[in-house]
Amino acid sequence: MNLFTRLVLFYLEAKGNKWFRYFATFCRIGVALAFIPSGFVKVSGERFTALPSNNPLGHYFDALHLTGYYYTFIGAGQLITAALLLIPRTAVLGALMAFPIMLNITVLVYALRFEGTRIVTLILLANTYLICWYFDRIRYILPFKKADLGIPEYKAVSKKFPVKFFAMVIAMIAGVIIGNQYMYDIRPGNSPEECTNGCPGNDNPEACRQFCDCIYNQGKPLNVCLDAYEKAPKAR
């Protein structure tokens, strides 16, 4: 039995299992709820975040806020995506619309070393699960023939709790949380105080404080402050 056949059989088993369906519903609602607050704020024309303007991500949202009706357009798109996800009949379209948005946000927050990378990553993973869950419907827009995929109809018959799958989910959540903890040696934090509070445990506390000053007081770009931090001599 080749790998593709095993994946097909696993997919059929999952589609016929109530616990996988419950998890799909949980992910669908969770992703939708993540879009509603941000979309509503943008449609209302308010600043999206409480991050200070000199924070790298705060600076980005300040610029985005000044784009006028484009800012409103983004918010409307997020609200429409959330509504589509909440309605079972349109959830597939909602999942497809949400994925590029979440992928873009995830790359953005990692690039700017935002403290909220963990929750954003988990939302993207939930969205990815939805894409996989609706593959039996999405496949019709892919350049494959139904016969080529070899996916027959499934029946909802299993009530067995998928222990291995949910153990993997828990492991992935733990991996995201722990991995983000050690991914960067320094982050700007969400405020000047949060940035400087991490300096005592840094390998180079003085360079860390200079980094925070560079970000929040001097208002320099993240890459400039990171370059200065990396070139700073370490205290002996």
Side-chain angles (χ1 to χ4, degrees):
M1 185 182 297
N2 59 37
L3 178 61
F4 181 76
T5 303
R6 290 182 180 181
L7 289 175
V8 169
L9 292 176
F10 175 77
Y11 182 77
L12 292 174
E13 181 182 350
K15 292 292 287 189
N17 185 291
K18 71 172 187 177
W19 294 103
F20 281 95
R21 293 190 175 192
Y22 291 158
F23 189 63
T25 301
F26 171 78
C27 290
R28 181 166 59 84
I29 295 174
V31 175
L33 292 179
F35 276 93
I36 292 175
S38 59
F40 182 77
V41 168
K42 292 182 181 70
V43 169
S44 300
E46 300 175 6
R47 189 175 185 270
F48 173 67
T49 177
L51 292 171
S53 296
N54 280 353
N55 179 281
L57 192 60
H59 184 72
Y60 169 82
F61 280 118
D62 277 346
L64 189 63
H65 186 216
L66 296 175
T67 57
Y69 59 82
Y70 175 67
Y71 185 71
T72 307
F73 170 77
I74 294 174
Q78 290 178 317
L79 290 178
I80 292 171
T81 300
L84 292 172
L85 281 166
L86 291 174
I87 302 172
R89 278 180 169 269
T90 60
V92 181
L93 180 57
L96 289 172
M97 289 178 61
F99 186 77
I101 298 174
M102 282 312 307
L103 181 61
N104 178 70
I105 294 173
T106 302
V107 174
L108 172 66
V109 297
Y110 273 97
L112 298 180
R113 303 193 177 200
F114 179 53
E115 292 292 337
T117 51
R118 299 167 184 85
I119 186 63
V120 171
T121 304
L122 294 178
I123 296 172
L124 177 64
L125 290 174
N127 200 163
T128 303
Y129 176 83
L130 290 175
I131 296 294
C132 295
W133 178 256
Y134 292 123
F135 179 72
D136 57 338
R137 295 165 67 179
I138 295 173
R139 62 183 168 135
Y140 292 106
I141 64 174
L142 298 176
F144 300 108
K145 294 181 180 179
K146 183 178 180 181
D148 294 337
L149 295 173
I151 301 179
E153 295 298 323
Y154 54 87
K155 296 181 180 179
V157 293
S158 176
K159 296 182 180 180
K160 182 180 178 181
F161 185 78
V163 177
K164 292 182 179 180
F165 172 78
F166 283 103
M168 182 182 70
V169 170
I170 294 173
M172 291 181 68
I173 294 173
V176 170
I177 295 173
I178 297 172
N180 270 268
Q181 185 71 25
Y182 299 100
M183 180 170 290
Y184 303 113
D185 57 345
I186 192 169
R187 294 174 185 256
N190 295 339
S191 66
E193 294 76 16
E194 187 173 344
C195 183
T196 55
N197 285 342
C199 292
N202 189 277
D203 292 338
N204 194 342
E206 181 57 33
C208 175
R209 284 189 284 271
Q210 291 176 3
F211 170 81
C212 296
D213 179 73
C214 179
I215 290 288
Y216 289 103
N217 295 327
Q218 301 178 39
K220 293 182 179 180
L222 177 63
N223 62 325
V224 173
C225 298
L226 283 174
D227 186 59
Y229 168 78
E230 292 169 357
K231 292 179 179 179
K234 290 189 177 182
R236 297 181 180 179

